[in-house]
């Protein structure tokens, strides 16, 4: 399977599809304003990808990088493309693109009391099948707690904080609670 990642901008042919997918794929308390993501993606250390297979748009990925770490902030595959291995294909393309970096991501905390517990378990299994392992620490972003998975070492809380200070700016970061919990 050949996956191509192309940087998204407002003139991209699938811009509206990416925006629609982003807005529908993530719960309200887990997503940043789309306009903010687009503005920040102009920075050198931020990549907003539209994913394609055989020239057909299939999904999106949003990655922040800082020093030797890269955070897969968002990944979503279009409903029509799901179940065909495209999620694994996009992860493979991302692993190649960020090769040599400590690539990590956050998934909803595995909580047996959660309404979508089975979905959370399946999501974790999907990432583990694709080479990610439990980093044995948690992440709090605003009011949501996540489990961290990665391809490399444990993420240092200071590196994570510095990455978001650079991404959002220190002043804005004061209003958004984001931290790694050991």
């Amino acid at each position: 399977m050949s996956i191509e990642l192309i940087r998204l901008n407002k003139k991209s042919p699938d811009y509206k599809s990416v925006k629609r997918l982003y807005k529908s794929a993530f719960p309200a308390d887990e997503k940043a304003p789309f306009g903010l993501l687009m503005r920040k993606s102009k920075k050198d250390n931020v990549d907003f990808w539209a994913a394609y297979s055989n020239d057909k748009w299939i999904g999106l990925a949003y990655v922040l990088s800082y020093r030797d770490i890269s955070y897969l902030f968002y990944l979503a595959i279009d409903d029509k493309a799901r179940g065909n291995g495209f999620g694994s294909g996009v992860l493979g393309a991302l692993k190649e693109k960020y090769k040599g970096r400590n690539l990590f991501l956050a998934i909803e905390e595995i909580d047996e009391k959660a309404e979508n517990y089975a979905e959370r378990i399946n999501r974790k299994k999907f990432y583990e099948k694709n080479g990610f392992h439990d980093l044995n620490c948690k992440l709090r972003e605003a009011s949501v707690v996540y489990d961290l998975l990665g391809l490399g070492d444990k993420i240092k809380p200071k590196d994570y904080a510095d990455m978001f200070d650079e991404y959002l700016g220190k002043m804005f970061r004061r209003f958004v609670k984001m931290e790694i919990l050991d």
Side-chain angles (χ1 to χ4, degrees), residues 101-159:
R101 301 186 60 77
N102 196 357
L103 182 63
F104 73 105
L105 56 90
I107 61 170
E108 289 176 301
E109 184 176 32
I110 302 299
D111 177 0
E112 291 179 12
K113 297 174 188 153
E115 190 175 294
N116 65 343
Y117 175 70
E119 182 181 314
R120 292 178 185 204
I121 292 293
N122 288 338
R123 187 172 294 122
K124 184 174 183 181
K125 286 179 183 177
F126 165 75
Y127 285 115
E128 289 174 336
K129 179 185 84 170
N130 283 284
F132 288 81
H133 63 273
D134 197 330
L135 294 177
N136 297 312
C137 61
K138 302 217 180 267
L139 170 68
R140 176 182 298 128
E141 289 182 349
S143 63
V144 183
V145 176
Y146 301 93
D147 290 329
L148 287 182
L149 304 177
L151 298 174
D153 299 327
K154 194 170 182 177
I155 305 303
K156 295 177 185 143
K158 180 165 179 15
D159 286 345

Side-chain angles (χ1 to χ4, degrees), residues 1-5 51-60 75-94 126 129-130:
M1 170 183 312
S2 174
I3 300 292
E4 185 177 11
L5 300 173
Y52 293 85
S53 177
N54 299 320
D55 297 322
K56 182 175 175 16
W57 174 76
I58 57 166
L60 68 86
L75 171 69
I77 303 300
D78 187 59
D79 291 343
K80 298 174 202 130
R82 286 191 192 142
N84 295 302
F86 292 126
S88 293
V90 171
L91 281 176
L94 290 167
F126 165 75
K129 179 185 84 170
N130 283 284

Side-chain angles (χ1 to χ4, degrees), residues 12-26:
S12 297
D14 294 296
Y15 174 82
K16 287 182 179 178
S17 296
V18 170
K19 186 175 183 178
R20 177 196 49 77
L21 175 60
Y22 173 75
K23 288 184 171 198
S24 68
F26 304 100

Side-chain angles (χ1 to χ4, degrees), residues 36-88:
L36 175 69
L37 296 178
M38 288 302 299
R39 276 193 307 283
K40 295 296 185 179
S41 71
K42 294 176 184 170
K43 295 177 128 200
D44 289 340
N45 62 330
V46 181
D47 299 310
F48 202 157
W49 301 110
Y52 293 85
S53 177
N54 299 320
D55 297 322
K56 182 175 175 16
W57 174 76
I58 57 166
L60 68 86
Y62 193 89
V63 181
L64 309 178
S65 294
Y66 179 78
R67 294 187 183 151
D68 67 338
I69 61 174
S70 291
Y71 178 32
L72 177 53
F73 203 17
Y74 295 107
L75 171 69
I77 303 300
D78 187 59
D79 291 343
K80 298 174 202 130
R82 286 191 192 142
N84 295 302
F86 292 126
S88 293

